[in-house]
């Protein structure tokens, strides 16, 4: 703008170009940041804390068969995603919910929504249980702290971590803001794996081998398929192991940082079903608080993780991965029956049904033992301390020799 009677001042072309360049660079930087956050969130949700539990599945299925099942489940999961993409293209939809709604109508959409809600909701409950059990053992190692102190009990830790960490993080409306949190969780998971590998090298040669360690298959293989991400490897270590105590702390933090992603999914399902996909600021807070409160109350009442996750795996994960994508593709596709995708879908659908039925029966009739935080037999005072890093090499060798003698007598 100029003074009255003067011609308007027009910015030089170079200045406008500079502004346009800055705006363009800002938008590009913002897009890149959101993509990076999405990558970290996906990695955290896929790997998360579940990688720590893979050894349990191997033990349940038998190590050789467990490896084969792991690769097979990975392939089936990838193929299911391909079926979902092809089904979306055939139906003209762009989400899992809209695909099922277009294929099977409102009843199918409602069933899918229930499964999509229950699967992450039960995961939230399991994360609370893991947080309470893991961090309570960490705080018990603090010098001068009474192990019976209520302030380091699992119930208080669950409530404290919920109020201080998981609830505030879960209140974010934009999941991209959790990108840095997911990056921290992924780094901690890598650190945990390093700790486990270090203990494999230092203790592996001295731990007595079990008789059925290399059996090809075990009766619980069906349950292992449904719970490929279940178990807590740190339960195998003694509480006086300082390095593992640090690993437990990292594990607890990782679980806390993964929790909000599961809450986002449950809240999204409720928003789609009851609010047309949009939540006002008030209802966003109310729904989040209600979901987290219910999950916290349930986790305070349940302290045995096994049966919860086994039922979650066979009743929720199996239909979401095996059954529903195959059923949608078989109904929508006009390819001949001899087409490879149709053949694979016809194989996956009954397998998913078998995993559901047999897995449910085995989980109910043959539940796994719940240790309730009890230490392994080799951690008892009679067997001395095997893993405390302050123990000298001579003492460690002597104690391990005594342990081996006491085991085989």
């Amino acid at each position: 703008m100029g003074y009255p009677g003067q011609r308007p001042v027009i910015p030089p072309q170079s200045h406008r170009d500079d502004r346009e360049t800055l705006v363009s660079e800002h938008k590009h930087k913002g897009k890149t940041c959101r993509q990076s956050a999405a990558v970290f969130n996906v990695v955290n949700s896929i790997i998360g804390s579940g990688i720590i539990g893979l050894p349990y599945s191997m033990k349940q299925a038998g190590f050789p068969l467990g490896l084969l099942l792991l690769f097979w489940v990975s392939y089936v999961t990838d193929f299911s995603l391909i079926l979902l993409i092809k089904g979306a293209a055939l139906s003209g939809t762009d989400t899992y919910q809209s695909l099922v709604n277009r294929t099977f109508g409102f009843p199918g959409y409602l069933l899918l929504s229930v499964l999509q809600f229950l699967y992450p909701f039960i995961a939230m409950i399991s994360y609370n249980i893991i947080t309470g059990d893991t961090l309570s053992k960490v705080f018990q190692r603090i010098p001068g702290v009474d192990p019976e102190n209520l302030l380091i009990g699992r119930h208080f830790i669950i409530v404290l971590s919920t109020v201080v960490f998981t609830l505030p993080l879960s209140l974010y409306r934009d999941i991209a803001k959790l990108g840095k949190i997911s990056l921290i969780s992924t780094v901690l998971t890598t650190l945990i794996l390093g700790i486990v590998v270090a203990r494999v090298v230092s203790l592996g040669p001295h731990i007595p081998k079990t008789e059925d360690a290399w059996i090809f298959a075990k009766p619980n293989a069906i349950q292992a398929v449904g719970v490929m991400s279940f178990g807590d490897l740190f339960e195998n270590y003694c509480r006086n192991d300082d390095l593992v105590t640090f690993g437990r702390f990292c594990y607890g933090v990782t679980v806390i940082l993964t929790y909000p992603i599961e809450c986002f999914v449950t809240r999204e399902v409720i928003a789609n079903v009851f609010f047309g996909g949009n939540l006002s600021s008030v209802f966003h807070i109310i729904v989040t608080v209600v979901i987290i409160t219910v999950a916290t109350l349930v986790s305070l009442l349940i302290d045995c993780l096994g049966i919860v996750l086994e039922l979650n795996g066979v009743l929720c994960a199996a239909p979401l991965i095996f059954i529903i994508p195959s059923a949608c593709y078989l109904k929508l596709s006009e390819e001949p029956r001899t087409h490879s995708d149709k053949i694979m879908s016809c194989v996956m659908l009954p397998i998913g049904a078998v995993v559901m039925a047999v897995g449910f029966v085995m989980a109910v009739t043959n539940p796994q033992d719940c240790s309730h935080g009890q230490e392994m037999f080799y951690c008892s005072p009679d067997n001395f301390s095997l893993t405390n890093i302050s123990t000298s090499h001579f003492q460690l060798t002597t104690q391990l020799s005594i342990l081996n003698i006491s085991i085989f007598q």
Side-chain angles (χ1 to χ4, degrees):
M1 295 267 318
Y3 294 104
Q6 292 183 331
R7 299 179 61 184
V9 178
I10 301 177
Q13 181 68 29
S14 59
H15 290 177
R16 285 189 305 205
D17 292 341
D18 290 342
R19 279 202 298 267
E20 291 176 358
T21 301
L22 290 174
V23 171
S24 176
E25 290 178 351
H26 178 73
K27 290 181 178 178
H28 177 72
K29 183 178 179 181
K31 183 178 180 181
T32 302
C33 292
R34 291 186 65 88
Q35 289 176 343
S36 301
V39 170
F40 293 137
N41 285 331
V42 169
V43 171
N44 188 29
S45 62
I46 293 176
I47 299 178
S49 59
I51 194 171
I52 302 300
L54 286 177
Y56 176 84
S57 293
M58 301 297 177
K59 177 180 179 296
Q60 292 294 91
F63 185 74
L65 180 60
L67 283 178
L68 295 178
L69 288 176
L70 180 60
F71 284 106
W72 180 73
V73 170
S74 301
Y75 170 76
V76 169
T77 302
D78 179 72
F79 185 76
S80 296
L81 292 175
I82 295 175
L83 290 182
L84 290 176
I85 295 173
K86 291 184 176 181
L90 292 172
S91 61
T93 56
D94 57 359
T95 64
Y96 199 172
Q97 296 94 332
S98 58
L99 167 62
V100 175
N101 192 18
R102 183 71 59 85
T103 307
F104 296 106
F106 183 74
Y109 169 78
L110 190 60
L111 174 62
L112 176 69
S113 299
V114 171
L115 294 175
Q116 285 186 318
F117 175 83
L118 287 178
Y119 189 70
F121 181 74
I122 296 177
M124 292 167 61
I125 296 173
S126 67
Y127 286 171
N128 276 338
I129 296 174
I130 293 173
T131 299
D133 291 343
T134 302
L135 293 184
S136 62
K137 296 176 183 177
V138 173
F139 296 144
Q140 288 174 3
R141 292 283 295 151
I142 299 177
V145 174
D146 183 7
E148 303 299 327
N149 193 324
L150 294 178
L151 298 181
I152 62 171
R154 62 180 300 273
H155 293 87
F156 181 80
I157 291 175
I158 290 174
V159 174
L160 181 65
S161 64
T162 299
V163 174
V164 177
F165 297 106
T166 56
L167 178 58
L169 291 175
S170 299
L171 285 173
Y172 281 122
R173 297 184 70 96
D174 186 4
I175 196 172
K177 293 184 178 180
L178 294 177
K180 295 180 180 179
I181 300 298
S182 296
L183 173 61
I184 296 174
S185 177
T186 304
V187 171
L188 290 177
T189 301
T190 305
L191 183 61
I192 292 169
L193 291 178
I195 293 174
V196 173
V197 171
R199 277 293 172 252
V200 168
V201 174
S202 61
L203 297 179
H206 307 286
I207 298 298
K209 295 180 174 58
T210 57
E211 297 180 357
D212 60 348
W214 291 98
I215 290 181
F216 181 81
K218 295 182 181 179
N220 294 325
I222 294 293
Q223 290 168 278
V225 173
V227 291
M228 272 294 176
S229 62
F230 161 69
D232 185 357
L233 185 62
F234 286 116
E235 290 295 322
N236 296 314
Y237 299 99
C238 302
R239 296 188 184 183
N240 62 353
D241 189 333
D242 296 331
L243 179 61
V244 174
T245 297
F246 176 68
R248 286 193 177 103
F249 175 77
C250 294
Y251 184 40
V253 173
T254 299
V255 169
I256 291 175
L257 298 182
T258 308
Y259 184 103
I261 296 180
E262 307 295 343
C263 185
F264 264 82
V265 178
T266 58
R267 187 175 59 224
E268 184 72 14
V269 173
I270 292 179
N272 290 334
V273 174
F274 297 102
F275 299 93
N278 295 315
L279 286 174
S280 65
S281 298
V282 175
F283 277 104
H284 172 84
I285 296 174
I286 293 175
V287 171
T288 303
V289 171
V290 169
I291 292 173
I292 293 181
T293 300
V294 175
T296 302
L297 291 176
V298 175
S299 60
L300 292 175
L301 298 175
I302 300 176
D303 62 350
C304 193
L305 194 61
I307 185 66
V308 175
L309 293 185
E310 286 180 1
L311 292 176
N312 193 30
V314 297
L315 295 182
C316 296
L320 287 172
I321 297 175
F322 294 93
I323 299 176
I324 298 179
S326 301
C328 289
Y329 180 78
L330 289 174
K331 186 172 182 179
L332 293 172
S333 178
E334 297 180 355
E335 297 288 348
R337 295 182 179 180
T338 56
H339 192 273
S340 59
D341 289 342
K342 277 204 168 181
I343 294 175
M344 186 62 183
S345 299
C346 291
V347 172
M348 285 175 51
L349 200 153
I351 288 179
V354 170
V355 170
M356 277 190 64
V358 178
F360 175 75
V361 172
M362 293 185 65
V364 173
T365 60
N366 186 30
Q368 301 303 310
D369 294 333
C370 186
S371 63
H372 296 284
Q374 295 179 1
E375 288 198 281
M376 293 293 182
F377 68 93
Y378 44 76
C379 296
S380 63
D382 294 336
N383 290 323
F384 301 95
S385 173
L386 303 183
T387 54
N388 196 316
I389 57 176
S390 63
T391 306
S392 67
H393 176 73
F394 175 77
Q395 290 174 322
L396 179 62
T397 305
T398 304
Q399 292 168 359
L400 287 168
S401 301
I402 296 174
L403 172 63
N404 288 331
I405 294 174
S406 64
I407 290 174
F408 292 107
Q409 280 182 343

